[in-house]
Amino acid sequence: MDLKNPFQTSFGTFSTKDFFIVEAVDGNENSGYGESVAFPVPWYTEETVATTEHVIKDFLLPLLFKEPIRHPDEISSRFSVIRRNNMAKAAVEGAVWDLYAKRQGMSLATALGGEKHRVESGVSIGIQPSVSKLLAVMEHHLEEGYKRIKLKIKPGIDVAVIREVRHHFPDVQLMADANSAYTVQDVDILKQLDEFGLTMIEQPLGHDDIYEHSILQSQLETPICLDESINSLTDARAAVELGSCRVINLKIGRVGGLSETKKIHDFCREKNIPVWCGGMLEAGVGRAHNIAIASLPQFMYPGDISASDRYWHRDIITPPVMLQNGEIAIKDTPGIGHDIDWEALETNRIERQVHRRQ
Ligand code: OSB
Ligand code: MG
């Protein structure tokens, strides 16, 4: 699907999103839906659309079909014999979670233990061609009601840009995401960001680092939030115990599914570490999953869960995700709370596969 606007990060630019939807069907005409969130290129993590398809087809579905499951929490332990490939795992597990919630007659949010009725919404803005363009984009999103702005930064597009933005918007809840573009040698640049009162700085150092972030955090006032570095509860524990971050960005796909996300959430709740829900430029199905998980209590900052129309001319769910006073209402209808917009899906679909339990 074509994005309305190209999205530029420190590692590359996305103009389209290639993905697939997983539909899990039981014997009683119930369907659950999941979305693969990987990109076509392994820039953000090692997975791609092609690797997720391969791993699902050749490894995960045979494991899933091997014997019945009683609860979706059983899936992540069954999949644990396959190393990593977290986005592949999450796409399948998410479809089964939705199916399970529908069979229980519960919203996915309730099935996951969610308590909120609405979640606060933020917007993540890619690197813009100029500061004046950035200010105009920000102005537009703030008028729409978004409660927090996240700006992508990289070396050369950081201190001066944030200074200008802060000057124009002194009170906005603002944060920066570097997607691993800096090294510990850049500590002096990162320290300069302390004066702008950023809510947090996301993933300044290595995508697989936990140790150096602990050194950096001890020298920064601004809280560090880890994204790429947290791929499991084990990683979250290491990061929290080492003081590598004060906040965690949770993405269902990055950590291997909703059950693992819940575990990290519960751990962070115990440790008093706030979490918030990140985004992968999802279409409607993935977005609905994000809304459901963000209803859990430790999600304490607005997420990168923006409305459908921030990304798409026409989303693949109906109704699309909409913003009301900077918040997204959590549907109490069974499952993800949105139907598939089959016409929109068919317009974009290039392939369909069916896999059955033998
Ligand atoms: O680091 O959070 C990130 C988009 C693509 C890859 C990585 C990231 C992002 C975003 C956008 O920041 C989140 C969204 O609006 O979906
Ligand atoms: Mg990030």
Side-chain angles (χ1 to χ4, degrees), residues 138-198:
M138 272 186 72
E139 183 77 55
H140 169 69
H141 289 309
L142 291 169
E143 265 167 27
E144 289 178 306
Y146 287 104
K147 294 198 179 248
R148 181 229 61 187
I149 301 283
K150 167 169 133 184
L151 300 179
K152 293 290 189 182
I153 58 167
K154 65 175 186 180
I157 304 188
D158 42 38
V159 181
V161 175
I162 303 282
R163 175 171 290 120
E164 193 75 7
V165 166
R166 241 322 164 225
H167 177 74
H168 281 81
F169 302 99
D171 302 322
V172 163
Q173 193 182 146
L174 189 66
M175 54 183 282
D177 184 0
N179 289 106
S180 297
Y182 297 87
T183 70
V184 269
Q185 269 77 55
D186 298 316
V187 59
D188 290 333
I189 299 173
L190 297 167
K191 268 186 179 167
Q192 287 179 60
L193 295 174
D194 274 343
E195 69 173 282
F196 305 118
L198 301 180

Side-chain angles (χ1 to χ4, degrees), residues 234-245:
T234 308
D235 290 341
R237 258 199 211 118
V240 169
E241 297 300 341
L242 279 168
S244 307
C245 63

Side-chain angles (χ1 to χ4, degrees), residues 66-334:
K66 213 167 164 178
E67 48 189 296
I69 50 160
R70 275 152 301 274
H71 188 278
D73 274 335
E74 293 169 21
I75 297 176
S76 63
S77 51
R78 196 176 298 181
F79 284 173
S80 67
V81 295
I82 303 299
R83 296 289 179 254
R84 296 184 190 266
N85 288 287
N86 286 345
M87 294 176 190
K89 291 172 179 173
V92 174
E93 192 230 37
V96 179
W97 262 107
D98 179 32
L99 176 59
Y100 168 80
K102 284 170 176 158
R103 287 173 54 129
Q104 302 295 310
M106 266 185 219
S107 70
L108 179 59
T110 303
L112 291 167
E115 297 170 359
K116 300 180 208 166
H117 298 286
R118 55 190 70 81
V119 298
E120 289 188 315
S121 182
V123 66
S124 172
I125 302 178
I127 294 168
Q128 299 297 311
S130 67
V131 175
S132 58
K133 178 78 204 286
L134 172 60
L135 294 173
V137 171
M138 272 186 72
E139 183 77 55
H140 169 69
H141 289 309
L142 291 169
E143 265 167 27
E144 289 178 306
Y146 287 104
K147 294 198 179 248
R148 181 229 61 187
I149 301 283
K150 167 169 133 184
L151 300 179
K152 293 290 189 182
I153 58 167
K154 65 175 186 180
I157 304 188
D158 42 38
V159 181
V161 175
I162 303 282
R163 175 171 290 120
E164 193 75 7
V165 166
R166 241 322 164 225
H167 177 74
H168 281 81
F169 302 99
D171 302 322
V172 163
Q173 193 182 146
L174 189 66
M175 54 183 282
D177 184 0
N179 289 106
S180 297
Y182 297 87
T183 70
V184 269
Q185 269 77 55
D186 298 316
V187 59
D188 290 333
I189 299 173
L190 297 167
K191 268 186 179 167
Q192 287 179 60
L193 295 174
D194 274 343
E195 69 173 282
F196 305 118
L198 301 180
T199 318
M200 65 194 84
I201 176 167
E202 189 176 333
Q203 197 71 35
L205 308 180
H207 67 92
D208 54 356
D209 169 76
I210 290 179
Y211 171 64
E212 288 182 341
H213 279 98
S214 75
I215 307 210
L216 180 64
Q217 180 67 89
S218 71
Q219 300 181 47
L220 288 187
E221 280 168 38
T222 309
I224 292 177
C225 169
L226 289 177
D227 173 355
E228 284 89 329
S229 294
I230 307 298
N231 294 284
S232 61
L233 174 61
T234 308
D235 290 341
R237 258 199 211 118
V240 169
E241 297 300 341
L242 279 168
S244 307
C245 63
R246 297 190 193 135
V247 186
I248 290 179
N249 164 334
L250 274 178
K251 293 186 187 174
I252 303 161
R254 202 192 62 232
V255 304
L258 287 163
S259 297
E260 189 74 8
T261 308
K262 273 200 303 168
K263 284 186 197 165
I264 300 174
H265 167 276
D266 294 350
F267 167 74
C268 288
R269 196 170 191 200
E270 224 175 270
K271 294 287 173 179
N272 247 322
I273 296 287
V275 305
W276 56 277
C277 186
M280 291 288 283
L281 310 173
E282 288 91 346
V285 171
R287 193 163 302 283
H289 282 260
N290 289 346
I291 295 164
I293 196 71
S295 70
L296 273 65
Q298 197 63 11
F299 284 80
M300 296 177 36
Y301 290 104
D304 281 348
I305 316 175
S306 316
S308 295
D309 71 358
R310 183 258 180 286
Y311 309 86
W312 316 112
H313 293 289
R314 179 173 173 181
D315 205 340
I316 55 159
I317 52 167
T318 177
V321 172
M322 281 176 304
L323 202 64
Q324 296 161 349
N325 302 318
E327 296 178 329
I328 294 167
I330 294 166
K331 303 266 195 301
D332 51 19
T333 44

